[in-house]
Amino acid sequence: MNYQDILNEIHEEIQPYLKLGKVASYIPELANVPYEKFGMSLHTVDGKTHSVGNAYENFSIQSISKLFTLTLAKQLVGEKLWARVGREPSGNPFNSLVQLEYENGIPRNPFINAGALVITDVLISNFDNPKDKILDFIRLLSGNKDINYDPDVALSENKTGYLNKALANFLKSFKNLDNEPEQVLDVYFNQCSLAMNCCDLANSCIFLANDGRSHHFDEVITTEKQTKYINSILLTCGTYDSVGDFAYRVGLPGKSGVGGGIVAVMPDKFSICVWSPGLNESGNSLAGTKALELFTTMTGISVF
Ligand code: GLU
């Protein structure tokens, strides 16, 4: 299979789609990103990387960070995590307050905002300096020591993140946060602000395709069983409330973010990341989803 030729072909075919999505503007700093950016990077389990377009340009990973914080929290507290957060698709917008009320403060899954806030709370309770720990973990997974938080993006979201503030306070009122909402929100806004590129992200996610092993160090990140658990949650909950449509079209476990990035993994074969800032109505990158659909169709490789 010539992956590089396939990526080049997708890069050409995708051009008309770039202007169809809408760049997220509810976090003011994200509104400044040009919609025509497009990058894609593939990392294979045998250590090869193929990239195209703006694959080495940093963007705001936003909710993709939830995949890394979930992995850390699962390592820390194991199955006990599920007493505080579910693992079912939400069928509702990722920032819905309504569902949290009628489900008594237990978020549907770790990838909607309420669930991610609970996961961040777990990290704060277990680490002296959770922001450093998250950063160290991502630098280790990606093999890139230069990855950092983007303070402008974190501040921009903190100034305007009334809904996330409401969710955190609501969780606290249901006693599903051990720490103060302000502290949880500070770590959460920072984790979402992480600036990474497609190559870093494909690299960081290879452990999910490689039985829990990274390419950058020997230690096992997740056991085979945990890797299966995380990939299943990605497949059923990773791409907002159009997760069914994403599975239908792409056929891979994946996680998206409102910065326009999507990571996806094919167990035993590869991890892949695509970035295009224009989003569809559900919050997934429009051209990014199309590019992944083209990729799994052209290669004939998906989990199904
Ligand atoms: N920081 C964003 C928020 O909480 C993340 C959303 C996303 O990427 O899904 O609204």
Side-chain angles (χ1 to χ4, degrees), residues 258-273:
V258 295
I262 310 178
V263 293
V265 292
M266 176 65 206
D268 301 327
K269 285 212 181 304
F270 58 75
S271 51
I272 190 164
C273 178

Side-chain angles (χ1 to χ4, degrees), residues 26-27 62-63 94 113 157 164 188 192 240 257-258:
Y26 76 100
I27 300 173
Q62 293 298 319
S63 275
F94 63 93
N113 285 8
E157 186 168 13
N164 282 323
Y188 175 78
C192 289
Y240 306 117
V258 295

